[in-house]
């Protein structure tokens, strides 16, 4: 092959690549729409995740409050049981 033939083949390949490789305006618009949709979807997912995190935090605080109430109730029950035991011991000693 001669240099001239190689140059012609390279020019044809380059032209073919440019013609088939370039995106049309319609394709660019579609890509932009896809990108915008992906960004919107990501923003919605982030918002949902933040909401779920807040809900989990609220649930954690409520669980802590319930645990504190249960501990207070257990302490009151233990105190009552001790008092009942003392009363029972006094009545048995008589």
């Amino acid at each position: 092959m001669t240099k001239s033939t190689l140059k012609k083949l390279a020019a044809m390949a380059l032209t073919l690549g440019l013609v088939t490789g370039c995106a049309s305006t319609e394709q660019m618009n579609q890509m932009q729409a896809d990108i915008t949709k992906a960004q919107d979807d990501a923003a919605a997912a982030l918002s949902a995740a933040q909401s779920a995190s807040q809900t989990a935090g609220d649930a954690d605080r409520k669980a802590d409050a319930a645990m504190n109430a249960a501990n207070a109730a257990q302490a009151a029950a233990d105190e009552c049981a001790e008092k009942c035991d003392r009363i029972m011991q006094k009545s048995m000693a008589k």
Side-chain angles (χ1 to χ4, degrees), residues 50-62:
Q50 289 170 335
S51 177
S53 178
Q54 183 178 6
T55 300
D58 291 346
D60 191 38
R61 284 187 288 283
K62 288 178 182 177

PDB file of all heavy atoms in Angstrom, residues 50-62:
ATOM      1  N   GLN A  50     -32.903  10.481  54.497  1.00  0.00           N
ATOM      2  CA  GLN A  50     -32.858  11.423  55.623  1.00  0.00           C
ATOM      3  C   GLN A  50     -34.115  11.290  56.480  1.00  0.00           C
ATOM      4  O   GLN A  50     -34.046  11.327  57.710  1.00  0.00           O
ATOM      5  CB  GLN A  50     -32.693  12.853  55.112  1.00  0.00           C
ATOM      6  CG  GLN A  50     -31.314  13.125  54.555  1.00  0.00           C
ATOM      7  CD  GLN A  50     -31.215  14.459  53.833  1.00  0.00           C
ATOM      8  OE1 GLN A  50     -32.197  14.990  53.343  1.00  0.00           O
ATOM      9  NE2 GLN A  50     -30.000  14.986  53.753  1.00  0.00           N
ATOM     10  N   SER A  51     -35.257  11.123  55.835  1.00  0.00           N
ATOM     11  CA  SER A  51     -36.510  10.940  56.567  1.00  0.00           C
ATOM     12  C   SER A  51     -36.481   9.647  57.379  1.00  0.00           C
ATOM     13  O   SER A  51     -36.897   9.625  58.538  1.00  0.00           O
ATOM     14  CB  SER A  51     -37.681  10.919  55.586  1.00  0.00           C
ATOM     15  OG  SER A  51     -38.887  10.677  56.270  1.00  0.00           O
ATOM     16  N   ALA A  52     -35.965   8.584  56.770  1.00  0.00           N
ATOM     17  CA  ALA A  52     -35.858   7.302  57.481  1.00  0.00           C
ATOM     18  C   ALA A  52     -34.904   7.426  58.656  1.00  0.00           C
ATOM     19  O   ALA A  52     -35.158   6.878  59.741  1.00  0.00           O
ATOM     20  CB  ALA A  52     -35.382   6.210  56.523  1.00  0.00           C
ATOM     21  N   SER A  53     -33.832   8.152  58.477  1.00  0.00           N
ATOM     22  CA  SER A  53     -32.872   8.359  59.559  1.00  0.00           C
ATOM     23  C   SER A  53     -33.514   9.125  60.712  1.00  0.00           C
ATOM     24  O   SER A  53     -33.314   8.790  61.880  1.00  0.00           O
ATOM     25  CB  SER A  53     -31.647   9.108  59.035  1.00  0.00           C
ATOM     26  OG  SER A  53     -30.737   9.351  60.078  1.00  0.00           O
ATOM     27  N   GLN A  54     -34.291  10.144  60.371  1.00  0.00           N
ATOM     28  CA  GLN A  54     -34.977  10.923  61.405  1.00  0.00           C
ATOM     29  C   GLN A  54     -35.995  10.052  62.140  1.00  0.00           C
ATOM     30  O   GLN A  54     -36.101  10.105  63.364  1.00  0.00           O
ATOM     31  CB  GLN A  54     -35.670  12.129  60.781  1.00  0.00           C
ATOM     32  CG  GLN A  54     -36.333  13.031  61.801  1.00  0.00           C
ATOM     33  CD  GLN A  54     -36.972  14.256  61.179  1.00  0.00           C
ATOM     34  OE1 GLN A  54     -37.031  14.396  59.970  1.00  0.00           O
ATOM     35  NE2 GLN A  54     -37.456  15.147  61.997  1.00  0.00           N
ATOM     36  N   THR A  55     -36.741   9.246  61.383  1.00  0.00           N
ATOM     37  CA  THR A  55     -37.720   8.350  61.996  1.00  0.00           C
ATOM     38  C   THR A  55     -37.026   7.352  62.918  1.00  0.00           C
ATOM     39  O   THR A  55     -37.508   7.069  64.021  1.00  0.00           O
ATOM     40  CB  THR A  55     -38.520   7.611  60.908  1.00  0.00           C
ATOM     41  OG1 THR A  55     -39.187   8.581  60.096  1.00  0.00           O
ATOM     42  CG2 THR A  55     -39.541   6.666  61.506  1.00  0.00           C
ATOM     43  N   ALA A  56     -35.891   6.829  62.481  1.00  0.00           N
ATOM     44  CA  ALA A  56     -35.134   5.893  63.318  1.00  0.00           C
ATOM     45  C   ALA A  56     -34.637   6.582  64.578  1.00  0.00           C
ATOM     46  O   ALA A  56     -34.667   5.993  65.668  1.00  0.00           O
ATOM     47  CB  ALA A  56     -33.960   5.323  62.529  1.00  0.00           C
ATOM     48  N   GLY A  57     -34.205   7.826  64.448  1.00  0.00           N
ATOM     49  CA  GLY A  57     -33.775   8.581  65.628  1.00  0.00           C
ATOM     50  C   GLY A  57     -34.921   8.788  66.600  1.00  0.00           C
ATOM     51  O   GLY A  57     -34.743   8.659  67.823  1.00  0.00           O
ATOM     52  N   ASP A  58     -36.101   9.129  66.059  1.00  0.00           N
ATOM     53  CA  ASP A  58     -37.282   9.294  66.909  1.00  0.00           C
ATOM     54  C   ASP A  58     -37.621   7.990  67.626  1.00  0.00           C
ATOM     55  O   ASP A  58     -37.923   7.983  68.823  1.00  0.00           O
ATOM     56  CB  ASP A  58     -38.481   9.755  66.085  1.00  0.00           C
ATOM     57  CG  ASP A  58     -38.335  11.177  65.558  1.00  0.00           C
ATOM     58  OD1 ASP A  58     -37.439  11.914  66.038  1.00  0.00           O
ATOM     59  OD2 ASP A  58     -39.107  11.552  64.649  1.00  0.00           O
ATOM     60  N   ALA A  59     -37.576   6.894  66.892  1.00  0.00           N
ATOM     61  CA  ALA A  59     -37.876   5.586  67.490  1.00  0.00           C
ATOM     62  C   ALA A  59     -36.862   5.236  68.573  1.00  0.00           C
ATOM     63  O   ALA A  59     -37.224   4.693  69.623  1.00  0.00           O
ATOM     64  CB  ALA A  59     -37.887   4.510  66.404  1.00  0.00           C
ATOM     65  N   ASP A  60     -35.607   5.574  68.338  1.00  0.00           N
ATOM     66  CA  ASP A  60     -34.558   5.301  69.321  1.00  0.00           C
ATOM     67  C   ASP A  60     -34.814   6.098  70.604  1.00  0.00           C
ATOM     68  O   ASP A  60     -34.687   5.566  71.711  1.00  0.00           O
ATOM     69  CB  ASP A  60     -33.193   5.661  68.724  1.00  0.00           C
ATOM     70  CG  ASP A  60     -32.037   5.173  69.573  1.00  0.00           C
ATOM     71  OD1 ASP A  60     -32.134   4.061  70.135  1.00  0.00           O
ATOM     72  OD2 ASP A  60     -31.041   5.922  69.685  1.00  0.00           O
ATOM     73  N   ARG A  61     -35.193   7.375  70.449  1.00  0.00           N
ATOM     74  CA  ARG A  61     -35.487   8.195  71.629  1.00  0.00           C
ATOM     75  C   ARG A  61     -36.699   7.650  72.386  1.00  0.00           C
ATOM     76  O   ARG A  61     -36.713   7.611  73.617  1.00  0.00           O
ATOM     77  CB  ARG A  61     -35.711   9.649  71.215  1.00  0.00           C
ATOM     78  CG  ARG A  61     -34.410  10.374  70.881  1.00  0.00           C
ATOM     79  CD  ARG A  61     -34.631  11.857  70.630  1.00  0.00           C
ATOM     80  NE  ARG A  61     -35.306  12.119  69.368  1.00  0.00           N
ATOM     81  CZ  ARG A  61     -34.730  12.078  68.174  1.00  0.00           C
ATOM     82  NH1 ARG A  61     -33.463  11.749  68.069  1.00  0.00           N
ATOM     83  NH2 ARG A  61     -35.417  12.350  67.086  1.00  0.00           N
ATOM     84  N   LYS A  62     -37.718   7.208  71.644  1.00  0.00           N
ATOM     85  CA  LYS A  62     -38.909   6.639  72.302  1.00  0.00           C
ATOM     86  C   LYS A  62     -38.561   5.334  73.016  1.00  0.00           C
ATOM     87  O   LYS A  62     -39.068   5.066  74.105  1.00  0.00           O
ATOM     88  CB  LYS A  62     -40.017   6.418  71.280  1.00  0.00           C
ATOM     89  CG  LYS A  62     -40.652   7.711  70.812  1.00  0.00           C
ATOM     90  CD  LYS A  62     -41.718   7.479  69.748  1.00  0.00           C
ATOM     91  CE  LYS A  62     -42.285   8.799  69.269  1.00  0.00           C
ATOM     92  NZ  LYS A  62     -43.274   8.627  68.191  1.00  0.00           N
TER      93      LYS A  62
END
